[in-house]
Amino acid sequence: MMLNVYAIRDLRSGFFGLTTEQNDYIAARNFANAIMESHGVLFTHASDFQLFRIGSFDTDTGILTPEKLPVLIKDGKDVVG
């Protein structure tokens, strides 16, 4: 099975929080939910965070294939307005 690999970018410190999801829609939904459910910096400074697709992972072969450049999926500032 092919999964996409995502990372959150903190505009102040860089990329973190690697995760895999089936598609961009699910990844964006989970990112938005993480912001809205947060009681910390993810919510209070949502505009500092962005979700990027950084590659894909084949669960059958174990091969991780990076994107040529990270692809912006969702901007935190669009979650909270």
Side-chain angles (χ1 to χ4, degrees):
M1 170 188 244
M2 291 298 292
L3 297 173
N4 291 327
V5 181
Y6 299 90
I8 295 173
R9 179 180 178 214
D10 181 338
L11 298 175
R12 309 291 181 218
S13 64
F15 287 89
F16 72 95
L18 295 179
T19 187
T20 58
E21 298 292 350
Q22 293 176 344
N23 59 53
D24 293 348
Y25 174 83
I26 293 171
R29 181 182 67 189
N30 290 342
F31 175 67
N33 188 62
I35 289 173
M36 297 307 292
E37 293 292 320
S38 174
H39 298 288
V41 70
L42 201 60
F43 179 79
T44 59
H45 293 87
S47 63
D48 285 347
F49 299 97
Q50 300 171 313
L51 179 69
F52 284 86
R53 185 179 65 239
I54 62 169
S56 61
F57 177 68
D58 187 327
T59 63
D60 294 326
T61 64
I63 295 174
L64 179 64
T65 305
E67 296 284 346
K68 291 184 189 241
L69 294 172
V71 177
L72 179 63
I73 302 301
K74 188 87 173 169
D75 199 312
K77 69 181 179 195
D78 297 330
V79 173
V80 294

